[in-house]
Amino acid sequence: MVNNSKNVPYYAFGEGSLAGLGTLLAERAKSRGGRCIFFVDHFFQGRSLVRDLPVEEGDTLFFVSTVDEPTTDGINEYYSAITAKYHELPSAIVGIGGGCTLDTAKAVSNLLTNGGKAEDYQGWDLVKVPGVYKVGVPTISGTGAESSRTCVLTNRRKNLKLGMNSEHTIFDQLILDPALPVTVPRNQYFYTGMDTYIHCIESLNGSHRHAVGDSFSREALALSREVFGSADMQNRANVERLMVASYLGGCAIANSYVGVVHPLSAGLSTVLKIHHGLANCLVMNVMEDFYPKETDEFHRYMEDQGVDLPSGVTGNLDDDGFARLYESTIIHEKPLVNALGAEYRAILTRERASEIFRRI
Ligand code: NAD
Ligand code: ZN
């Protein structure tokens, strides 16, 4: 078995690069036929970005709500709406937004060519054929969803948050335009931006290492440190730096696993519906036992950037709630083995996890 890695084949980078989207889509439509489907973060509803998009007659634009993170049911609904409206496959799917919107675009693209239900593809390498040609345009930096080989979906029936991990999930084209994230609110910028930092420290502290993945992670981490260690994480140069860090962090994920933070964070997201970036930061804030140096560094960044976190998040949970938190954490075997070894259940015991969750 060859362990092959793939990254996004094409990316355009630079302020104003979104203006090139129309040309890319027109070339595609000429050679393939079919309409274009846009998924746009609801933040942009009524804003100039939407007015300027190259939406042609017959195309469809969906505004993606980010109130809840993407679910398998939500993806199935988009699939039904698109297949009911069109008899041919779209020429392109475009996702413009944060991780929620980019992952929605990726998942719908896979489903359109593979058929069935979104939940059939949650796992590793279950997507059989390439999806519809897809373009990703991130408007907030950190998750690396723009360059990773997964799209994370919550499956409510199974109490499971898991992606379609596949090389077919990788975008065919990215437009990385640093003018887009300038409107992101301060706390959100930090929470989502920290995803890159956390992915990288987890990978670099793990046992499942890969020299190329490590190089991506080290550079992404260095850029993140520049951003969060500077006086203003949101100045123009830092917005651009974080966009590059996020892209490189996403490339790193294909060659690595996360560690202890992401499984605990997934527990918070699954049981309490806390969004990924915030959930990560809530966990990172209490990681002294597992990542002592990085936890100190994280505290410093929060203080320097004047960012705060909610407290008492698990305060209303009963024993059953803590049991569900544990179950939806401990199922993340790959990252936990990466961080703690095969005997991870003896280290991250139910009691120890509950103790961590109680401090959140
Ligand atoms: P998000 O997509 O919910 O965006 C965060 C918030 O910022 C939203 O309220 C959104 O409306 C707003 N926003 C986005 N761009 C903006 C802009 N330019 N100006 C103002 N507001 C803006 O959150 P996220 O943190 O980007 O992504 C989280 C999602 O990504 C989760 O579902 C998570 O599971 C997933 N994820 C995916 C991967 C992957 O590799 N595919 C990796 C990590 C996380
Ligand atoms: Zn993450």
Side-chain angles (χ1 to χ4, degrees), residues 37-45 50 60-71 74-75 78 93-106 108 139 153 275:
I37 315 287
F38 294 81
F39 290 97
V40 181
D41 190 310
H42 64 163
F43 168 80
F44 294 102
Q45 203 156 3
V50 172
T60 298
L61 190 152
F62 293 107
F63 285 108
V64 177
S65 165
T66 58
V67 174
D68 286 325
E69 294 188 340
T71 61
I75 299 304
Y78 283 124
I93 302 273
V94 182
I96 305 178
C100 289
T101 309
L102 297 178
D103 281 359
T104 298
K106 292 162 104 175
V108 171
T139 64
L153 306 175
H275 284 208

mmCIF file of all heavy atoms in Angstrom, residues 37-45 50 60-71 74-75 78 93-106 108 139 153 275:
data_model
loop_
_atom_site.group_PDB
_atom_site.id
_atom_site.type_symbol
_atom_site.label_atom_id
_atom_site.label_comp_id
_atom_site.label_asym_id
_atom_site.label_seq_id
_atom_site.Cartn_x
_atom_site.Cartn_y
_atom_site.Cartn_z
ATOM 1 N N ILE A 37 -23.122 26.271 -8.518
ATOM 2 C CA ILE A 37 -23.815 26.359 -7.225
ATOM 3 C C ILE A 37 -22.887 27.069 -6.237
ATOM 4 O O ILE A 37 -21.742 26.630 -6.043
ATOM 5 C CB ILE A 37 -24.130 24.952 -6.649
ATOM 6 C CG1 ILE A 37 -24.707 24.018 -7.706
ATOM 7 C CG2 ILE A 37 -25.019 25.064 -5.407
ATOM 8 C CD1 ILE A 37 -26.104 24.289 -8.119
ATOM 9 N N PHE A 38 -23.381 28.138 -5.656
ATOM 10 C CA PHE A 38 -22.586 28.900 -4.678
ATOM 11 C C PHE A 38 -23.102 28.627 -3.260
ATOM 12 O O PHE A 38 -24.318 28.693 -3.023
ATOM 13 C CB PHE A 38 -22.712 30.415 -4.930
ATOM 14 C CG PHE A 38 -22.121 30.873 -6.235
ATOM 15 C CD1 PHE A 38 -22.830 30.734 -7.422
ATOM 16 C CD2 PHE A 38 -20.853 31.457 -6.267
ATOM 17 C CE1 PHE A 38 -22.286 31.164 -8.627
ATOM 18 C CE2 PHE A 38 -20.301 31.894 -7.467
ATOM 19 C CZ PHE A 38 -21.016 31.747 -8.657
ATOM 20 N N PHE A 39 -22.189 28.355 -2.359
ATOM 21 C CA PHE A 39 -22.521 28.303 -0.929
ATOM 22 C C PHE A 39 -21.791 29.459 -0.268
ATOM 23 O O PHE A 39 -20.546 29.508 -0.292
ATOM 24 C CB PHE A 39 -22.062 26.986 -0.301
ATOM 25 C CG PHE A 39 -22.851 25.797 -0.762
ATOM 26 C CD1 PHE A 39 -22.370 24.990 -1.785
ATOM 27 C CD2 PHE A 39 -24.076 25.491 -0.198
ATOM 28 C CE1 PHE A 39 -23.104 23.901 -2.222
ATOM 29 C CE2 PHE A 39 -24.823 24.402 -0.622
ATOM 30 C CZ PHE A 39 -24.334 23.607 -1.646
ATOM 31 N N VAL A 40 -22.552 30.416 0.280
ATOM 32 C CA VAL A 40 -21.931 31.623 0.826
ATOM 33 C C VAL A 40 -22.325 31.775 2.299
ATOM 34 O O VAL A 40 -23.514 31.649 2.644
ATOM 35 C CB VAL A 40 -22.363 32.878 0.033
ATOM 36 C CG1 VAL A 40 -21.696 34.128 0.584
ATOM 37 C CG2 VAL A 40 -22.030 32.716 -1.452
ATOM 38 N N ASP A 41 -21.345 32.038 3.153
ATOM 39 C CA ASP A 41 -21.589 32.271 4.581
ATOM 40 C C ASP A 41 -22.653 33.357 4.751
ATOM 41 O O ASP A 41 -22.579 34.410 4.097
ATOM 42 C CB ASP A 41 -20.256 32.738 5.205
ATOM 43 C CG ASP A 41 -20.307 32.789 6.716
ATOM 44 O OD1 ASP A 41 -21.263 33.381 7.259
ATOM 45 O OD2 ASP A 41 -19.376 32.255 7.344
ATOM 46 N N HIS A 42 -23.629 33.102 5.612
ATOM 47 C CA HIS A 42 -24.765 34.040 5.757
ATOM 48 C C HIS A 42 -24.330 35.438 6.204
ATOM 49 O O HIS A 42 -25.066 36.393 6.026
ATOM 50 C CB HIS A 42 -25.836 33.471 6.697
ATOM 51 C CG HIS A 42 -25.383 33.281 8.111
ATOM 52 N ND1 HIS A 42 -26.237 33.110 9.174
ATOM 53 C CD2 HIS A 42 -24.136 33.235 8.644
ATOM 54 C CE1 HIS A 42 -25.554 32.963 10.275
ATOM 55 N NE2 HIS A 42 -24.283 33.029 9.986
ATOM 56 N N PHE A 43 -23.138 35.544 6.760
ATOM 57 C CA PHE A 43 -22.652 36.884 7.141
ATOM 58 C C PHE A 43 -22.679 37.839 5.941
ATOM 59 O O PHE A 43 -22.882 39.042 6.093
ATOM 60 C CB PHE A 43 -21.214 36.782 7.695
ATOM 61 C CG PHE A 43 -20.540 38.116 7.838
ATOM 62 C CD1 PHE A 43 -20.814 38.932 8.928
ATOM 63 C CD2 PHE A 43 -19.661 38.587 6.854
ATOM 64 C CE1 PHE A 43 -20.221 40.185 9.053
ATOM 65 C CE2 PHE A 43 -19.066 39.839 6.968
ATOM 66 C CZ PHE A 43 -19.345 40.637 8.073
ATOM 67 N N PHE A 44 -22.476 37.305 4.743
ATOM 68 C CA PHE A 44 -22.334 38.179 3.561
ATOM 69 C C PHE A 44 -23.660 38.541 2.894
ATOM 70 O O PHE A 44 -23.667 39.285 1.907
ATOM 71 C CB PHE A 44 -21.381 37.531 2.536
ATOM 72 C CG PHE A 44 -19.976 37.416 3.048
ATOM 73 C CD1 PHE A 44 -19.482 36.212 3.524
ATOM 74 C CD2 PHE A 44 -19.157 38.537 3.118
ATOM 75 C CE1 PHE A 44 -18.194 36.118 4.033
ATOM 76 C CE2 PHE A 44 -17.870 38.463 3.623
ATOM 77 C CZ PHE A 44 -17.393 37.249 4.088
ATOM 78 N N GLN A 45 -24.751 38.039 3.431
ATOM 79 C CA GLN A 45 -26.062 38.356 2.862
ATOM 80 C C GLN A 45 -26.257 39.877 2.840
ATOM 81 O O GLN A 45 -26.065 40.537 3.859
ATOM 82 C CB GLN A 45 -27.155 37.717 3.722
ATOM 83 C CG GLN A 45 -28.434 37.512 2.998
ATOM 84 C CD GLN A 45 -29.278 36.384 3.636
ATOM 85 O OE1 GLN A 45 -28.913 35.802 4.653
ATOM 86 N NE2 GLN A 45 -30.397 36.094 3.015
ATOM 87 N N VAL A 50 -21.443 39.704 -2.219
ATOM 88 C CA VAL A 50 -22.448 38.914 -2.932
ATOM 89 C C VAL A 50 -22.874 39.616 -4.220
ATOM 90 O O VAL A 50 -23.011 38.989 -5.271
ATOM 91 C CB VAL A 50 -23.663 38.641 -2.005
ATOM 92 C CG1 VAL A 50 -24.795 37.983 -2.783
ATOM 93 C CG2 VAL A 50 -23.237 37.754 -0.853
ATOM 94 N N THR A 60 -27.365 28.751 -8.803
ATOM 95 C CA THR A 60 -28.055 28.791 -7.505
ATOM 96 C C THR A 60 -27.094 29.271 -6.438
ATOM 97 O O THR A 60 -25.929 28.855 -6.413
ATOM 98 C CB THR A 60 -28.578 27.379 -7.124
ATOM 99 O OG1 THR A 60 -29.524 26.973 -8.104
ATOM 100 C CG2 THR A 60 -29.256 27.390 -5.759
ATOM 101 N N LEU A 61 -27.610 30.153 -5.584
ATOM 102 C CA LEU A 61 -26.791 30.626 -4.457
ATOM 103 C C LEU A 61 -27.508 30.283 -3.156
ATOM 104 O O LEU A 61 -28.663 30.665 -2.968
ATOM 105 C CB LEU A 61 -26.579 32.137 -4.579
ATOM 106 C CG LEU A 61 -25.555 32.758 -3.616
ATOM 107 C CD1 LEU A 61 -24.945 34.013 -4.242
ATOM 108 C CD2 LEU A 61 -26.152 33.121 -2.272
ATOM 109 N N PHE A 62 -26.850 29.522 -2.303
ATOM 110 C CA PHE A 62 -27.386 29.212 -0.979
ATOM 111 C C PHE A 62 -26.609 30.019 0.056
ATOM 112 O O PHE A 62 -25.374 30.035 0.017
ATOM 113 C CB PHE A 62 -27.169 27.734 -0.618
ATOM 114 C CG PHE A 62 -27.935 26.743 -1.441
ATOM 115 C CD1 PHE A 62 -27.287 25.962 -2.392
ATOM 116 C CD2 PHE A 62 -29.290 26.554 -1.246
ATOM 117 C CE1 PHE A 62 -27.970 25.015 -3.128
ATOM 118 C CE2 PHE A 62 -29.998 25.607 -1.981
ATOM 119 C CZ PHE A 62 -29.337 24.842 -2.927
ATOM 120 N N PHE A 63 -27.323 30.651 0.980
ATOM 121 C CA PHE A 63 -26.632 31.229 2.133
ATOM 122 C C PHE A 63 -26.561 30.159 3.218
ATOM 123 O O PHE A 63 -27.572 29.542 3.553
ATOM 124 C CB PHE A 63 -27.361 32.477 2.639
ATOM 125 C CG PHE A 63 -27.144 33.659 1.747
ATOM 126 C CD1 PHE A 63 -28.160 34.136 0.930
ATOM 127 C CD2 PHE A 63 -25.897 34.272 1.694
ATOM 128 C CE1 PHE A 63 -27.941 35.211 0.079
ATOM 129 C CE2 PHE A 63 -25.669 35.344 0.843
ATOM 130 C CZ PHE A 63 -26.697 35.816 0.044
ATOM 131 N N VAL A 64 -25.355 29.936 3.719
ATOM 132 C CA VAL A 64 -25.157 28.873 4.710
ATOM 133 C C VAL A 64 -25.191 29.485 6.105
ATOM 134 O O VAL A 64 -24.392 30.362 6.431
ATOM 135 C CB VAL A 64 -23.793 28.172 4.473
ATOM 136 C CG1 VAL A 64 -23.535 27.114 5.542
ATOM 137 C CG2 VAL A 64 -23.751 27.560 3.084
ATOM 138 N N SER A 65 -26.132 29.020 6.910
ATOM 139 C CA SER A 65 -26.201 29.490 8.292
ATOM 140 C C SER A 65 -25.071 28.839 9.086
ATOM 141 O O SER A 65 -24.781 27.655 8.909
ATOM 142 C CB SER A 65 -27.536 29.090 8.906
ATOM 143 O OG SER A 65 -27.460 29.231 10.303
ATOM 144 N N THR A 66 -24.436 29.630 9.952
ATOM 145 C CA THR A 66 -23.375 29.045 10.788
ATOM 146 C C THR A 66 -23.836 28.952 12.243
ATOM 147 O O THR A 66 -23.019 28.793 13.141
ATOM 148 C CB THR A 66 -22.072 29.874 10.696
ATOM 149 O OG1 THR A 66 -22.380 31.219 11.122
ATOM 150 C CG2 THR A 66 -21.521 29.907 9.300
ATOM 151 N N VAL A 67 -25.142 29.043 12.439
ATOM 152 C CA VAL A 67 -25.661 28.918 13.811
ATOM 153 C C VAL A 67 -25.299 27.537 14.347
ATOM 154 O O VAL A 67 -24.851 27.380 15.475
ATOM 155 C CB VAL A 67 -27.192 29.148 13.833
ATOM 156 C CG1 VAL A 67 -27.760 28.869 15.216
ATOM 157 C CG2 VAL A 67 -27.514 30.574 13.389
ATOM 158 N N ASP A 68 -25.510 26.516 13.517
ATOM 159 C CA ASP A 68 -25.049 25.166 13.859
ATOM 160 C C ASP A 68 -23.999 24.745 12.848
ATOM 161 O O ASP A 68 -24.060 25.139 11.686
ATOM 162 C CB ASP A 68 -26.204 24.164 13.802
ATOM 163 C CG ASP A 68 -27.132 24.324 14.994
ATOM 164 O OD1 ASP A 68 -26.637 24.647 16.088
ATOM 165 O OD2 ASP A 68 -28.351 24.147 14.817
ATOM 166 N N GLU A 69 -23.073 23.903 13.283
ATOM 167 C CA GLU A 69 -22.082 23.373 12.345
ATOM 168 C C GLU A 69 -22.769 22.379 11.406
ATOM 169 O O GLU A 69 -23.844 21.866 11.709
ATOM 170 C CB GLU A 69 -20.944 22.723 13.139
ATOM 171 C CG GLU A 69 -20.181 23.783 13.926
ATOM 172 C CD GLU A 69 -18.912 23.312 14.621
ATOM 173 O OE1 GLU A 69 -18.770 22.087 14.844
ATOM 174 O OE2 GLU A 69 -18.087 24.153 14.946
ATOM 175 N N PRO A 70 -22.155 22.102 10.238
ATOM 176 C CA PRO A 70 -22.830 21.260 9.241
ATOM 177 C C PRO A 70 -23.208 19.875 9.775
ATOM 178 O O PRO A 70 -22.431 19.261 10.520
ATOM 179 C CB PRO A 70 -21.793 21.129 8.124
ATOM 180 C CG PRO A 70 -20.771 22.154 8.374
ATOM 181 C CD PRO A 70 -20.826 22.545 9.802
ATOM 182 N N THR A 71 -24.377 19.423 9.376
ATOM 183 C CA THR A 71 -24.835 18.089 9.784
ATOM 184 C C THR A 71 -25.032 17.227 8.534
ATOM 185 O O THR A 71 -25.216 17.755 7.429
ATOM 186 C CB THR A 71 -26.192 18.155 10.510
ATOM 187 O OG1 THR A 71 -27.159 18.714 9.606
ATOM 188 C CG2 THR A 71 -26.117 19.010 11.771
ATOM 189 N N GLY A 74 -28.332 18.109 6.975
ATOM 190 C CA GLY A 74 -28.299 19.364 6.215
ATOM 191 C C GLY A 74 -27.694 19.139 4.834
ATOM 192 O O GLY A 74 -28.192 19.671 3.825
ATOM 193 N N ILE A 75 -26.642 18.343 4.750
ATOM 194 C CA ILE A 75 -26.004 18.056 3.450
ATOM 195 C C ILE A 75 -26.975 17.277 2.567
ATOM 196 O O ILE A 75 -27.120 17.565 1.374
ATOM 197 C CB ILE A 75 -24.687 17.250 3.650
ATOM 198 C CG1 ILE A 75 -23.682 18.052 4.500
ATOM 199 C CG2 ILE A 75 -24.079 16.840 2.310
ATOM 200 C CD1 ILE A 75 -23.321 19.419 3.977
ATOM 201 N N TYR A 78 -29.444 19.701 0.971
ATOM 202 C CA TYR A 78 -28.881 20.438 -0.182
ATOM 203 C C TYR A 78 -28.843 19.519 -1.408
ATOM 204 O O TYR A 78 -29.165 19.917 -2.518
ATOM 205 C CB TYR A 78 -27.458 20.925 0.105
ATOM 206 C CG TYR A 78 -27.369 22.145 0.999
ATOM 207 C CD1 TYR A 78 -26.622 22.132 2.177
ATOM 208 C CD2 TYR A 78 -28.010 23.340 0.656
ATOM 209 C CE1 TYR A 78 -26.531 23.249 2.995
ATOM 210 C CE2 TYR A 78 -27.922 24.464 1.464
ATOM 211 C CZ TYR A 78 -27.180 24.411 2.630
ATOM 212 O OH TYR A 78 -27.094 25.512 3.422
ATOM 213 N N ILE A 93 -18.910 23.889 -7.950
ATOM 214 C CA ILE A 93 -19.451 24.226 -6.630
ATOM 215 C C ILE A 93 -18.474 25.232 -6.037
ATOM 216 O O ILE A 93 -17.257 24.997 -6.065
ATOM 217 C CB ILE A 93 -19.452 22.982 -5.708
ATOM 218 C CG1 ILE A 93 -20.264 21.843 -6.303
ATOM 219 C CG2 ILE A 93 -19.886 23.344 -4.299
ATOM 220 C CD1 ILE A 93 -21.712 21.848 -6.003
ATOM 221 N N VAL A 94 -18.991 26.328 -5.521
ATOM 222 C CA VAL A 94 -18.108 27.336 -4.913
ATOM 223 C C VAL A 94 -18.496 27.515 -3.453
ATOM 224 O O VAL A 94 -19.674 27.735 -3.147
ATOM 225 C CB VAL A 94 -18.254 28.701 -5.640
ATOM 226 C CG1 VAL A 94 -17.300 29.726 -5.046
ATOM 227 C CG2 VAL A 94 -18.002 28.556 -7.132
ATOM 228 N N GLY A 95 -17.537 27.407 -2.554
ATOM 229 C CA GLY A 95 -17.791 27.645 -1.130
ATOM 230 C C GLY A 95 -17.064 28.907 -0.704
ATOM 231 O O GLY A 95 -15.844 29.014 -0.894
ATOM 232 N N ILE A 96 -17.801 29.869 -0.134
ATOM 233 C CA ILE A 96 -17.191 31.139 0.291
ATOM 234 C C ILE A 96 -17.563 31.371 1.748
ATOM 235 O O ILE A 96 -18.726 31.667 2.060
ATOM 236 C CB ILE A 96 -17.699 32.320 -0.573
ATOM 237 C CG1 ILE A 96 -17.462 32.042 -2.057
ATOM 238 C CG2 ILE A 96 -17.034 33.631 -0.134
ATOM 239 C CD1 ILE A 96 -17.985 33.126 -2.996
ATOM 240 N N GLY A 97 -16.603 31.225 2.646
ATOM 241 C CA GLY A 97 -16.920 31.428 4.057
ATOM 242 C C GLY A 97 -15.905 30.765 4.955
ATOM 243 O O GLY A 97 -14.762 30.518 4.566
ATOM 244 N N GLY A 98 -16.348 30.448 6.179
ATOM 245 C CA GLY A 98 -15.486 29.780 7.152
ATOM 246 C C GLY A 98 -15.567 28.276 6.993
ATOM 247 O O GLY A 98 -16.101 27.764 5.996
ATOM 248 N N GLY A 99 -15.055 27.565 8.002
ATOM 249 C CA GLY A 99 -15.010 26.105 7.946
ATOM 250 C C GLY A 99 -16.376 25.498 7.684
ATOM 251 O O GLY A 99 -16.488 24.514 6.942
ATOM 252 N N CYS A 100 -17.428 26.065 8.274
ATOM 253 C CA CYS A 100 -18.773 25.490 8.087
ATOM 254 C C CYS A 100 -19.171 25.521 6.620
ATOM 255 O O CYS A 100 -19.692 24.539 6.080
ATOM 256 C CB CYS A 100 -19.812 26.283 8.896
ATOM 257 S SG CYS A 100 -19.663 26.018 10.666
ATOM 258 N N THR A 101 -18.936 26.638 5.976
ATOM 259 C CA THR A 101 -19.364 26.806 4.586
ATOM 260 C C THR A 101 -18.465 26.005 3.640
ATOM 261 O O THR A 101 -18.945 25.374 2.702
ATOM 262 C CB THR A 101 -19.335 28.304 4.225
ATOM 263 O OG1 THR A 101 -20.061 29.006 5.235
ATOM 264 C CG2 THR A 101 -19.949 28.568 2.877
ATOM 265 N N LEU A 102 -17.164 26.036 3.897
ATOM 266 C CA LEU A 102 -16.236 25.285 3.029
ATOM 267 C C LEU A 102 -16.538 23.794 3.129
ATOM 268 O O LEU A 102 -16.571 23.082 2.106
ATOM 269 C CB LEU A 102 -14.785 25.571 3.433
ATOM 270 C CG LEU A 102 -14.330 27.031 3.278
ATOM 271 C CD1 LEU A 102 -12.883 27.192 3.771
ATOM 272 C CD2 LEU A 102 -14.433 27.512 1.828
ATOM 273 N N ASP A 103 -16.783 23.306 4.347
ATOM 274 C CA ASP A 103 -17.070 21.881 4.514
ATOM 275 C C ASP A 103 -18.397 21.508 3.860
ATOM 276 O O ASP A 103 -18.547 20.412 3.307
ATOM 277 C CB ASP A 103 -17.095 21.510 6.005
ATOM 278 C CG ASP A 103 -15.685 21.354 6.571
ATOM 279 O OD1 ASP A 103 -14.719 21.515 5.804
ATOM 280 O OD2 ASP A 103 -15.554 21.059 7.773
ATOM 281 N N THR A 104 -19.368 22.410 3.905
ATOM 282 C CA THR A 104 -20.655 22.153 3.250
ATOM 283 C C THR A 104 -20.426 21.985 1.749
ATOM 284 O O THR A 104 -20.918 21.034 1.123
ATOM 285 C CB THR A 104 -21.629 23.323 3.516
ATOM 286 O OG1 THR A 104 -21.847 23.401 4.926
ATOM 287 C CG2 THR A 104 -22.949 23.159 2.796
ATOM 288 N N ALA A 105 -19.672 22.892 1.149
ATOM 289 C CA ALA A 105 -19.406 22.823 -0.293
ATOM 290 C C ALA A 105 -18.695 21.516 -0.649
ATOM 291 O O ALA A 105 -19.032 20.852 -1.639
ATOM 292 C CB ALA A 105 -18.560 24.022 -0.719
ATOM 293 N N LYS A 106 -17.728 21.126 0.174
ATOM 294 C CA LYS A 106 -16.973 19.903 -0.114
ATOM 295 C C LYS A 106 -17.876 18.672 -0.034
ATOM 296 O O LYS A 106 -17.831 17.784 -0.890
ATOM 297 C CB LYS A 106 -15.822 19.761 0.896
ATOM 298 C CG LYS A 106 -14.723 20.815 0.729
ATOM 299 C CD LYS A 106 -13.854 20.909 1.991
ATOM 300 C CE LYS A 106 -12.512 20.258 1.827
ATOM 301 N NZ LYS A 106 -11.642 20.460 3.017
ATOM 302 N N VAL A 108 -21.208 18.463 -0.283
ATOM 303 C CA VAL A 108 -22.229 18.414 -1.337
ATOM 304 C C VAL A 108 -21.584 17.984 -2.650
ATOM 305 O O VAL A 108 -22.143 17.182 -3.408
ATOM 306 C CB VAL A 108 -22.944 19.782 -1.466
ATOM 307 C CG1 VAL A 108 -23.847 19.799 -2.692
ATOM 308 C CG2 VAL A 108 -23.747 20.089 -0.210
ATOM 309 N N THR A 139 -13.008 32.941 4.170
ATOM 310 C CA THR A 139 -13.195 34.333 4.592
ATOM 311 C C THR A 139 -12.810 34.519 6.057
ATOM 312 O O THR A 139 -12.979 35.597 6.617
ATOM 313 C CB THR A 139 -14.657 34.768 4.393
ATOM 314 O OG1 THR A 139 -15.483 33.964 5.249
ATOM 315 C CG2 THR A 139 -15.104 34.601 2.944
ATOM 316 N N LEU A 153 -18.633 16.666 9.570
ATOM 317 C CA LEU A 153 -20.096 16.705 9.659
ATOM 318 C C LEU A 153 -20.549 16.076 10.974
ATOM 319 O O LEU A 153 -19.965 15.090 11.426
ATOM 320 C CB LEU A 153 -20.719 15.907 8.513
ATOM 321 C CG LEU A 153 -20.289 16.286 7.098
ATOM 322 C CD1 LEU A 153 -20.894 15.315 6.086
ATOM 323 C CD2 LEU A 153 -20.716 17.725 6.768
ATOM 324 N N HIS A 275 -19.152 25.584 19.118
ATOM 325 C CA HIS A 275 -18.455 25.570 17.831
ATOM 326 C C HIS A 275 -16.981 25.215 18.004
ATOM 327 O O HIS A 275 -16.392 25.444 19.056
ATOM 328 C CB HIS A 275 -18.613 26.918 17.141
ATOM 329 C CG HIS A 275 -19.979 27.093 16.548
ATOM 330 N ND1 HIS A 275 -20.224 27.891 15.457
ATOM 331 C CD2 HIS A 275 -21.176 26.549 16.889
ATOM 332 C CE1 HIS A 275 -21.510 27.830 15.156
ATOM 333 N NE2 HIS A 275 -22.104 27.042 16.021
#
